[in-house]
Amino acid sequence: MSAVTRTRSRARAEEAAADPVSVPGRGAAHRTLRLAPGRLSFRVRPRPLAVTLLLALLAAGSGALALTRDGLVPPAEVLGALFGAGSEQAAFVVLELRLPRVALGLVVGAALGAAGALFQQLSRNPLGSPDIVGFNSGAATGALLVLLHGDPAYVAAGAAGGGLATAVIVQLLARRGSFRGNRLILAGIAVGSLLTSVNSYLLTRAALDHAQSAQLWLIGSLGSTERHQIVPALLALAALLLLALPLVRRLDLLEMGDEAAGGLGIDAARTRVLVLLIAVGLSAVAVSVAGPIVFVALCAPQLARRLSRGTGTGLLPAAAMGALLLSASDLVAVTLPTAGPLPVGVVTGALGGVYLAWLLGRRQRR
């Protein structure tokens, strides 16, 4: 890197450091919104904001289509059921059967998209998503231990504990890499493969009925969601995103290197640990509700970044893209003419394979 480039990067970083909530970008237009002059202000970048809103609207539209699928409940009756004015049959179908699945699909997709954005920025690698580096497998192991041998009410705690333990193990194995680069990816793949074997072993030791339900959950499914899961998952997602937003600027500034970021008053090690904990928490929210759904966390940040044409983490666009991808995938899963509804993990796995094939072809053309 030339001296001129380093000087420009430092100038951009110092400008961004003056704003505690902004995310630095290169050449992206922005507007400063001041809520309390001299006390609270943050930058709004029009294109990423517009992309986030558009993706959120598309995700909501996909959810609305899922509520009215197959014509069993007409759109007018769906609206009536949502506002308490429909028939009992429509209210049961919409509020008890379909709405929990749609709502949790949006929440889980947003959690996966946000977790993928944080992991990829943390590792500085587009393959650094929780399903690739083994964190989802670790969360699944913790949740499986609770499902098969404990109280199902503690599945979320088991998933969080399993994901955190996996993160610690991967960090120890990739210690020289400081949680960056190929070392993290290789360590995560190795640990994830080992944990996948552990999960298979746990299934072989479980009772037949428990093993069947757990196997469906391991594929990734929204079919067994219930209304009482919506509020806790939504609150956990909102709390983790609020905690992540102030850290995103610091995480992006670490691209300059730990010494340069330290000169701006940023504790690199502390920032990475906090981001890691939040990303593991987001993965645990998703896994505890729907199982280890694959490829959403990998694809969503990359697709959102291409649309917003921004640099940095892109947390909110990635969350909105994740919600759209999972909601649309679940709509496909329940409308395909198969013998029964497919687990959504089957559809996301197929879409992820197509996405990776497209990336490979694009690289070969270059």
Side-chain angles (χ1 to χ4, degrees):
M1 182 183 295
S2 66
V4 175
T5 303
R6 286 196 298 270
T7 302
R8 290 177 179 175
S9 299
R10 181 178 291 275
R12 283 195 298 267
E14 291 176 348
E15 179 185 1
D19 188 350
V21 190
S22 65
V23 177
R26 295 186 181 124
H30 66 268
R31 297 179 182 178
T32 302
L33 179 62
R34 302 185 183 277
L35 300 181
R39 294 183 179 181
L40 180 61
S41 64
F42 59 92
R43 293 180 180 179
V44 177
R45 301 187 184 278
R47 186 180 180 93
L49 178 61
V51 168
T52 302
L53 294 176
L54 177 60
L55 292 174
L57 287 175
L58 290 175
S62 177
L65 287 176
L67 292 177
T68 59
R69 68 177 187 270
D70 66 29
L72 180 62
V73 182
E77 292 194 23
V78 170
L79 290 176
L82 292 176
F83 291 99
S87 64
E88 292 185 3
Q89 179 183 1
F92 175 77
V93 172
V94 173
L95 301 180
E96 299 295 334
L97 299 181
R98 295 184 176 178
L99 183 60
R101 181 170 185 149
V102 169
L104 282 172
L106 295 173
V107 171
V108 170
L112 289 173
L118 292 175
F119 274 122
Q120 289 178 12
Q121 188 70 356
L122 189 65
S123 63
R124 303 284 185 250
N125 194 309
L127 292 179
S129 67
D131 48 338
I132 297 296
V133 298
F135 294 147
N136 277 5
S137 297
T141 302
L144 267 180
L145 289 172
V146 175
L147 278 174
L148 300 177
H149 302 96
D151 188 346
Y154 297 100
V155 169
L164 184 59
T166 304
V168 172
I169 294 172
V170 173
Q171 168 68 357
L172 291 175
L173 293 175
R175 191 170 183 176
R176 292 184 180 180
S178 299
F179 223 85
R180 289 171 290 177
N182 295 331
R183 192 178 180 90
L184 167 69
I185 304 302
L186 293 176
I189 291 174
V191 173
S193 299
L194 177 62
L195 290 174
T196 300
S197 299
V198 171
N199 294 340
S200 299
Y201 171 77
L202 290 175
L203 290 178
T204 63
R205 308 304 298 175
L208 182 60
D209 55 341
H210 291 170
Q212 288 177 341
S213 60
Q215 180 61 46
L216 178 63
W217 178 83
L218 281 174
I219 298 173
S221 174
L222 295 168
S224 60
T225 54
E226 299 179 2
R227 290 183 61 183
H228 67 83
Q229 296 176 302
I230 298 176
V231 174
L234 182 60
L235 291 178
L237 172 65
L240 290 169
L241 288 179
L242 288 176
L243 289 174
L245 285 174
L247 296 172
V248 165
R249 178 196 61 87
R250 304 178 196 175
L251 182 62
D252 292 338
L253 289 178
L254 292 181
E255 290 187 40
M256 299 174 54
D258 292 359
E259 293 184 2
L264 298 174
I266 296 174
D267 188 335
R270 183 172 180 269
T271 299
R272 289 195 180 97
V273 169
L274 291 175
V275 170
L276 175 62
L277 291 175
I278 292 172
V280 168
L282 289 167
S283 299
V285 169
V287 171
S288 64
V289 173
I293 296 175
V294 297
F295 280 117
V296 174
L298 175 69
C299 301
Q302 298 297 320
L303 294 175
R305 190 173 290 114
R306 291 176 184 276
L307 290 176
S308 60
R309 298 179 184 175
T311 58
T313 305
L315 182 67
L316 295 182
M321 176 62 79
L324 173 59
L325 287 179
L326 190 57
S327 177
S329 297
D330 193 49
L331 179 60
V332 171
V334 297
T335 55
L336 283 177
T338 56
L342 289 175
V344 68
V346 175
V347 179
T348 60
L351 292 177
V354 173
Y355 173 75
L356 290 178
W358 174 77
L359 279 183
L360 181 61
R362 190 169 182 270
R363 284 182 177 273
Q364 288 178 342
R365 288 195 299 270
R366 284 184 176 181

